[in-house]
Amino acid sequence: MWPLLIGIWVITLIRLAVMREVLAQRRINLVLLFWAVPATLRAPELQAALAPHLTDVAVIRPVTHLCVMLAGAAILGLAAALTEGADEPSWRQPAVYAITLALGVSLLMLSQKSRDAGLTIEAAGGWQCAVYFVLYSMPIVVAVCVALVICYEFLRSGPGRLEWVMAVIVGVMCLFSVVDNLTRPVAAFFSAAHVDNALTRWRAGSNDVLFLPEVALIAVVSFVPVVALWMRRRELRQLEPMWSTLTAAVPQVVLPAAGFEERLHRTVVEIWDATMQLEPYTSGAVDADLESELDRRGLHGDTRSAVRRSVQLLRACERKRTGDAPLDASATAPAAPAHDDLTDETRTLLRLARSWRLAATIAQTEPSEARDLRRTDTRERSAVPGPPVVSAGSGI
């Protein structure tokens, strides 16, 4: 129990700290939080610690049921955020929470008689037991069925392998939850009539057997976006030095960005825009000294191409910064090929970004074409005859 609880809380707290920008992610945080609280309150050690401070320790059970119902309301909100986005009415989710909260408070009233008698509501029986578990199960069944529909539609859209695995896991857990929550009120009707059978006995222990592992597995699945976010933040950190150099030479490509996702998108777009603006200053001539340096460093394949391209861009930035005229069209490097999507573009730019620091060191070496041009100019100047040298004793 405790390893699962610790894992659930660690993941929940990490998500609460880092997954705050997107509405759907915030609602996943709420689902985990509403599940983590009842999972913890069910621990016997915690109940024993709370007992001296409560007039009725049995109240913990309906409180945990209320939290689970609120998790169902949060799942409905998550479904709305995924399907409607900004079109979701602002009043609807607060209304869902309010209705769920009212249903949860009614559980306290329905279980009051059994708690006063020192019994569980199943042991007390009566119509209160049947109504209690119908109300308890209703928000969860509705939410899980909506989640199943979303998983089905997502799988039909042809997701990637990782997304497919995540959707299948969530879908299977939803199926288990539907079965779990549909059998709960059925067993409650038997308990209300004081009928003891295999279903009522199974239901008596199924909450402790199923709930905690289900929550732990969903928590692990919900941690995948956190890992993906950390990887994208790492990509942004890798791209920033190259972005800073290129946009310093071509500042007009920079536009404001709000939030991390938009900032990463703008960084990729602005780097590509800057390279296009720098094409007239990017030499496509073969630099013998550069090739020799790449050979000396043992660079081959994609790494060699990335360093060469980075050096070309760095030198183009320097030409633009110092006010040099654009190169002749025949001398410029060919434009970078178009990419199918932003992911492909990002992957290409990351290869350049990882070679940027090395390329900056190499780019400080004067290109052989510029050195040859300077030597030619020096020879031409030395060939022009200067004024006659007159000795001090000359009669002129």
Side-chain angles (χ1 to χ4, degrees), residues 173-231:
M173 298 307 297
C174 287
L175 285 174
F176 274 112
S177 185
V178 168
V179 173
D180 183 33
N181 286 282
L182 286 179
T183 57
R184 181 179 288 117
V186 174
F189 278 100
F190 285 115
S191 297
H194 298 284
V195 175
D196 182 34
N197 56 27
L199 178 61
T200 58
R201 290 190 293 272
W202 173 73
R203 284 298 334 166
S206 63
N207 283 342
D208 295 330
V209 173
L210 295 176
F211 182 73
L212 194 55
E214 286 178 354
V215 174
L217 183 56
I218 294 297
V220 170
V221 172
S222 74
F223 197 66
V224 174
V226 178
V227 176
L229 177 62
W230 282 341
M231 293 176 64

Side-chain angles (χ1 to χ4, degrees), residues 303 306-308 310 314 350-360:
T303 303
V307 174
R308 183 190 296 115
S310 297
L314 283 160
L350 284 170
R351 284 198 294 268
L352 298 181
R354 292 174 185 132
S355 68
W356 198 252
R357 182 176 297 178
L358 173 60

Side-chain angles (χ1 to χ4, degrees), residues 305-335:
S305 301
V307 174
R308 183 190 296 115
R309 176 62 174 165
S310 297
V311 170
Q312 291 174 341
L313 289 172
L314 283 160
R315 289 174 174 171
C317 289
E318 183 63 16
R319 293 187 187 101
K320 182 80 162 54
R321 186 186 66 81
T322 57
D324 291 351
L327 303 175
D328 292 336
S330 59
T332 58

Side-chain angles (χ1 to χ4, degrees), residues 12-70:
T12 301
L13 293 175
I14 291 175
R15 283 191 56 96
L16 287 170
V18 302
M19 305 297 287
R20 297 178 296 181
E21 292 186 3
V22 180
L23 177 61
Q25 296 296 341
R26 293 201 300 271
R27 287 181 176 168
I28 292 176
N29 295 346
L30 284 176
V31 173
L32 290 178
L33 186 61
F34 285 136
W35 276 340
V37 170
T40 307
L41 288 175
R42 291 182 181 191
E45 296 87 346
L46 184 61
Q47 292 189 12
L50 291 175
H53 308 285
L54 298 173
T55 56
D56 180 12
V57 72
V59 78
I60 291 178
R61 192 182 185 207
V63 169
T64 63
H65 291 166
L66 168 60
C67 291
V68 175
M69 294 168 71
L70 288 172

Side-chain angles (χ1 to χ4, degrees), residues 184-342:
R184 181 179 288 117
V186 174
F189 278 100
F190 285 115
S191 297
H194 298 284
V195 175
D196 182 34
N197 56 27
L199 178 61
T200 58
R201 290 190 293 272
W202 173 73
R203 284 298 334 166
S206 63
N207 283 342
D208 295 330
V209 173
L210 295 176
F211 182 73
L212 194 55
E214 286 178 354
V215 174
L217 183 56
I218 294 297
V220 170
V221 172
S222 74
F223 197 66
V224 174
V226 178
V227 176
L229 177 62
W230 282 341
M231 293 176 64
R232 292 198 300 275
R233 288 188 184 278
R234 180 171 176 267
E235 291 176 356
L236 182 60
R237 288 194 300 270
Q238 291 176 331
L239 291 171
E240 279 178 342
M242 180 169 60
W243 175 87
S244 298
T245 304
L246 295 174
T247 55
V250 194
Q252 62 268 26
V253 302
V254 179
L255 293 176
F260 167 76
E261 295 293 343
E262 186 178 351
R263 183 181 171 201
L264 177 60
H265 175 82
R266 286 302 315 163
T267 297
V268 173
V269 171
E270 288 163 8
I271 289 174
W272 279 111
D273 290 347
T275 59
M276 293 175 62
Q277 295 288 331
L278 290 168
E279 281 179 14
Y281 299 88
T282 307
S283 174
V286 176
D287 187 338
D289 287 346
L290 173 59
E291 297 302 322
S292 298
E293 179 67 14
L294 297 178
D295 288 336
R296 187 183 71 81
R297 293 177 181 269
L299 301 178
H300 304 284
D302 291 341
T303 303
R304 185 187 184 98
S305 301
V307 174
R308 183 190 296 115
R309 176 62 174 165
S310 297
V311 170
Q312 291 174 341
L313 289 172
L314 283 160
R315 289 174 174 171
C317 289
E318 183 63 16
R319 293 187 187 101
K320 182 80 162 54
R321 186 186 66 81
T322 57
D324 291 351
L327 303 175
D328 292 336
S330 59
T332 58
H339 295 275
D340 295 333
D341 54 32
L342 192 66

Side-chain angles (χ1 to χ4, degrees), residues 57-142:
V57 72
V59 78
I60 291 178
R61 192 182 185 207
V63 169
T64 63
H65 291 166
L66 168 60
C67 291
V68 175
M69 294 168 71
L70 288 172
I75 293 174
L76 288 174
L78 171 61
L82 293 174
T83 56
E84 299 180 76
D87 296 331
E88 178 190 357
S90 59
W91 58 266
R92 189 168 63 197
Q93 190 58 24
V96 171
Y97 283 129
I99 294 171
T100 306
L101 184 62
L103 293 176
V105 171
S106 70
L107 301 185
L108 292 170
M109 295 184 290
L110 288 168
S111 62
Q112 182 67 54
K113 182 179 178 181
S114 61
R115 287 187 282 114
D116 291 341
L119 300 172
T120 64
I121 193 166
E122 295 94 332
W127 64 269
Q128 294 93 339
C129 178
V131 175
Y132 183 103
F133 283 101
V134 168
L135 295 179
Y136 172 37
S137 300
M138 185 170 57
I140 310 168
V141 170
V142 173

